């Protein structure tokens, strides 16, 4: 890698995690000459770099790897493919037509790219955003902060924390605790069911950690460090637990501050960019992939999505994708549905390099049927059993080609 930041390139990728690195490799394999990955951290690799546990890499490398080893392999593969990875570079502005403002170790710079792929990922919702009361002691950490302290700094921030949440990342927090000899006193979930899929719920049992469902944290107490938490119990009462830390996990949000300061359209429901089935943003010079689109998916899913985005952009540079044309906008016609990605389907829908699936999320545990209607006519429905933050997909082929206007997804809930 050269010392000076290039002033132009074919494709600039913002974010050096699994999605961004997979896209970069796909672009180079497709013959795109200059691909630059811009990573604000000192090392590329994304969140897996902080996850010192298994399993990563089955679909990418046909073997089970620890997070740091997986991230290192992604970086090595990209470098071998001729990708220019720029670390400690922060993108400060997304300007029309693929012009980027940068902050580099050498100072402010600009980079003009024919296409830009946004892969900035996600962040966990903070304690403040969850409106948890009480004092503000030290020792309240997100999973990402915990993993950084444990795996990168080799620090033990507490010994007996409470873990809030039961998403997949929450169980990753349990494995991180186990690695450092930390023994959580409880795992707390406000819903009546574990969010992550089975068999994850077996892990706290194997580690002898109480799993408390229908239970929330109402207050955190302590001075210089946490001394305990107040819980809201299933019967509506309260219970105090002594602990020396709180791990606030999941409830991910797209890392979209850069996007929100730009000219690009943002989907208020997902918090990420408004895209079509090609991953194309409102400015056709910009594309997006990975967990910026919706929070949150696995590293493997993000990697596959990034690879597809890379192939799509390569196709666009060589042969041009169909011009964005008026098609269908996907609308959530039920409060049980949170959002859909992509948010719009431009036509022709079956063009090369488009995604084949629409991904939806629900706002709460739902049992019933998921349906689709256009102009008041129900086109199809299927059984639905879903939890928040779990993947729910619908084939794009369910949408009729050539239609314009809105396509409404709705839920017919099962009577309780």
């Amino acid at each position: 890698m050269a010392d000076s930041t290039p002033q132009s390139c074919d494709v600039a990728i913002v974010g050096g995690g699994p999605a961004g690195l997979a896209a970069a490799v796909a672009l180079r394999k497709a013959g795109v000459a200059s691909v630059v990955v811009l990573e604000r951290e000192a090392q590329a690799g994304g969140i897996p770099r902080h996850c010192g546990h298994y399993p990563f890499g089955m679909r990418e490398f046909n073997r089970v790897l620890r997070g740091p080893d997986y991230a290192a392999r992604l970086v090595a593969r990209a470098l071998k493919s001729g990708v220019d990875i720029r670390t400690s570079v922060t993108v400060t502005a997304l300007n029309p037509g693929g012009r980027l403002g940068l902050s580099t170790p050498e100072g402010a710079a600009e980079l003009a790219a024919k296409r830009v792929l946004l892969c900035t990922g996600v962040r966990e919702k903070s304690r403040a955003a969850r409106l948890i009361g009480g004092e503000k002691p030290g020792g309240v950490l997100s999973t990402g902060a915990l993993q950084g302290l444990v795996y990168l700094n080799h620090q033990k921030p507490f010994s007996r924390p409470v873990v809030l949440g039961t998403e997949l990342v929450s169980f990753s927090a349990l494995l991180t605790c186990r690695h450092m000899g930390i023994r959580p006193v409880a795992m707390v979930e406000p819903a009546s069911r574990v969010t992550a899929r089975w068999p994850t719920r077996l892990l706290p049992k194997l580690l002898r950690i109480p799993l408390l469902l229908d239970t929330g944290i109402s207050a955190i107490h302590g001075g210089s460090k946490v001394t305990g938490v107040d819980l809201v119990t299933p019967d509506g009462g309260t219970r105090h637990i002594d602990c020396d830390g709180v791990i606030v996990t999941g409830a991910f949000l797209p890392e979209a501050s850069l996007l929100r300061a730009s000219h690009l359209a943002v989907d208020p429901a997902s918090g990420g960019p408004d895209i079509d089935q090609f991953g194309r943003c409102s400015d056709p010079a910009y594309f997006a992939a990975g967990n910026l689109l919706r929070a949150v998916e696995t590293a493997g899913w993000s990697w596959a999505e990034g690879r597809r985005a890379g192939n799509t952009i390569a196709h666009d540079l060589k042969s041009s994708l169909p011009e964005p044309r008026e098609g269908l906008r996907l609308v959530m016609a039920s409060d049980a549905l949170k959002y859909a990605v992509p948010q719009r389907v431009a036509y022709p829908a079956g063009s090369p390099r488009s995604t084949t699936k629409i991904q939806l999320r629900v706002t709460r545990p739902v049992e019933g049927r998921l349906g689709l209607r256009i102009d008041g006519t129900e086109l199809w429905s299927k059984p639905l059993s879903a939890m928040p933050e779990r993947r729910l997909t619908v084939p794009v082929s369910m949408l009729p080609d050539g239609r314009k206007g809105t396509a409404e997804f709705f839920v017919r809930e099962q009577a309780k």
Side-chain angles (χ1 to χ4, degrees), residues 42-105:
Q43 288 181 264
I47 290 176
R49 196 168 60 85
H50 302 257
C51 303
H53 55 74
Y54 302 93
F56 291 88
M58 280 298 295
R59 77 172 83 185
E60 301 91 324
F61 300 106
N62 296 317
R63 63 183 62 193
V64 178
L65 299 167
R66 293 169 59 254
D69 300 327
Y70 167 76
R73 281 176 176 253
L74 291 178
V75 172
R77 178 183 280 181
L79 291 174
K80 186 177 181 180
S81 299
V83 176
D84 185 356
I85 300 178
R86 301 282 169 159
T87 57
S88 300
V89 173
T90 300
V91 177
T92 58
L94 307 176
N95 297 313
R99 294 178 294 106
L100 304 178
L102 309 178
S103 175
T104 77

Side-chain angles (χ1 to χ4, degrees), residues 152 322 377:
L152 300 184
T377 301

Side-chain angles (χ1 to χ4, degrees), residues 331-415:
V331 174
M332 304 300 99
S334 168
D335 62 5
L337 294 173
K338 191 174 183 181
Y339 57 79
V341 176
Q343 292 79 14
R344 50 192 165 87
V345 177
Y347 288 109
S351 301
R353 309 300 181 185
S354 67
T355 184
T356 59
K357 294 182 179 180
I358 300 163
Q359 190 174 135
L360 300 112
R361 288 286 197 275
V362 296
T363 58
R364 60 177 185 268
V366 180
E367 300 284 343
R369 295 189 71 84
L370 172 68
L372 171 71
R373 61 180 174 238
I374 297 178
D375 296 331
T377 301
E378 184 174 326
L379 301 182
W380 64 267
S381 69
K382 70 173 186 177
L384 174 66
S385 178
M387 289 285 290
E389 308 308 331
R390 287 189 186 176
R391 185 186 309 146
L392 175 62
T393 60
V394 175
V396 172
S397 59
M398 292 294 99
L399 296 171
D401 205 346
R403 296 289 290 271
K404 298 179 181 180
T406 60
E408 296 182 329
F409 285 103
F410 65 91
V411 172
R412 192 176 294 118
E413 295 193 58
Q414 180 177 301

Side-chain angles (χ1 to χ4, degrees), residues 25-36:
V25 171
L27 285 159
R28 289 290 296 145
K29 286 184 176 180
V32 177
S34 57
V35 180
V36 179

